[in-house]
Amino acid sequence: MPVGELLLESLPIQPWAVDAACGKGWGPAPDDFFSESRAAVQAAMNFCNAHCTVREACLEDAMRAEAGGELRYGVRGGMSASGRRRLAVQRRAAGGAR
């Protein structure tokens, strides 16, 4: 099984996830969301931002999980791991404001 699929399967299922564009079987391959290739990651982010109706819920879930110690990896909520890291720093600097 590809690494992206293994990582996606390891995430707890959230109620919003049934509506996630990445789980509909079209768009980038699951591994593209966890790729080392900048082009694949960019394509996955573009897909999320253009087609996912639950992107914000996904992003907030990722931010909560990562703040709790979960590995920050892959595209979640339309953002790369480095993008979410920068967002976490910005939020801490702003006193936790969203």
Side-chain angles (χ1 to χ4, degrees):
M1 178 177 288
V3 79
E5 289 181 34
L6 288 171
L7 287 168
L8 286 174
E9 286 184 3
S10 72
L11 298 173
I13 302 299
Q14 301 297 330
W16 53 262
V18 297
D19 295 319
C22 62
K24 300 292 184 192
W26 62 283
D31 276 357
D32 289 350
F33 289 82
F34 301 95
S35 179
E36 296 297 321
S37 162
R38 288 183 188 192
V41 167
Q42 187 62 56
M45 289 189 307
N46 291 345
F47 177 77
C48 286
N49 289 312
H51 301 288
C52 192
T53 60
V54 296
R55 187 191 59 77
E56 290 180 19
C58 180
L59 176 60
E60 291 310 316
D61 186 58
M63 298 298 288
R64 266 191 307 281
E66 292 164 357
E70 184 177 298
L71 177 66
R72 184 175 282 126
Y73 184 64
V75 175
R76 293 178 69 186
M79 295 183 81
S80 66
S82 60
R84 292 191 311 278
R85 186 175 305 109
R86 284 189 301 274
L87 180 58
V89 168
Q90 290 170 352
R91 287 182 175 184
R92 280 193 300 273
R98 289 175 57 147

